[in-house]
Amino acid sequence: MKNIKIAAAVTLLVLGLTSCKDEKQEKAQKTIDSYVAYVDSVKNVSAENLKADWKAVDAEYDRRSQEAQTALADLKDNSAATEKVNASKIKYEEFKNEMTTVFAPPAPSPKQQLRDALFGAGKIGDDMNFSWVNAQNIHSVYQQFVHTVENNKDKYSREDWDEVKLMYEALDSRKNTVEKEGLTAEDNRKIAGLKVKFAPMYTVNRMGAKSEENKDAKK
C-alpha cells in the first residue's frame, strides 16, 4: 500500500512538471507570435501616424524583441521559431531604415546652406533676424563670416556672391545697433580689419564668377 502511494505521488509530480513545461513552452510560443504580429502591425500603420509616436513604437519593439529572444530558450525545438524571429527582425530593421528616411527633415535650400555656413546652422532664416548678434559675439560672427568666404571664394557662383553681399550688409546693419550696446573699441578695431579684408575679396571674386558664367554661356 505504501509503495502504491509513493508511485502515485511520483506520477503526480511528473505530470505536474510536464504540465509546467508545456505551459512554459506555450507561453514562449505566444510571446514569439506576439512579437511577429507586432512587427506586421507596425508596418500597416501610416507614416504620418507613426511619426508622432515613433519613439514609443520603437521602444515597444525593443521590449518585445528582447522578450522573444528570451522565449526562444524556453522552446525545446526552437529552430522554426528562431527563423520567424530573425525574419521579423530583418523586416523591422528594413522598415525602420525606410521610416528614418521618411521622417528626416528636408534638405535645406542652397541659399540656406550658404547662410548656415556663414553664420552657423539655423542662425539666419528667411526672416533675416540678427537679434542674436550682440556686443559679446559680433566679432566672432564677423570672423566666421569672412573666413568662410575666404575658404570658399573660388567655389561661389555669381548668385552666391550676391547672397554673400546681402548677408554682409545685413550684418553691418546689425553692427550699427550693437555699437550703441557696449561694443568694445578692441573688437571694433578687429572687425574693421576683417571688413578691409572682405571688401577686395568680394569685388575681385564676384567679377571673376560673372566672367566665368559669361564664358560658359558662350560655349
Side-chain angles (χ1 to χ4, degrees), residues 108-125:
S109 65
K111 182 176 74 173
Q112 187 60 52
Q113 290 180 40
L114 178 57
R115 292 181 179 186
D116 288 347
L118 293 171
F119 298 106
K123 292 288 189 179
I124 299 296

Side-chain angles (χ1 to χ4, degrees), residues 130-172:
F130 279 80
S131 62
W132 56 277
V133 179
N134 54 49
Q136 286 69 46
N137 66 18
I138 192 168
H139 172 233
S140 63
V141 173
Y142 267 98
Q143 273 187 316
Q144 177 170 338
F145 185 98
V146 174
H147 291 165
T148 299
V149 171
E150 184 177 27
N151 291 336
N152 295 277
K153 63 181 185 294
D154 295 330
K155 305 174 186 176
Y156 288 156
S157 66
R158 182 169 57 85
E159 288 77 11
D160 290 334
W161 282 111
D162 290 343
E163 180 67 17
V164 166
K165 183 181 180 183
L166 178 66
M167 293 297 102
Y168 181 75
E169 291 174 347
L171 180 59
D172 268 356

Side-chain angles (χ1 to χ4, degrees), residues 40 52 63 69 113-114 175:
D40 290 338
R63 184 185 71 80
Q69 290 295 331
Q113 290 180 40
L114 178 57
K175 178 178 176 292

Side-chain angles (χ1 to χ4, degrees), residues 4-20:
I4 294 175
K5 289 181 178 179
I6 292 174
V10 171
T11 300
L12 288 173
L13 178 61
V14 171
L15 289 172
L17 291 173
T18 301
S19 177
C20 287

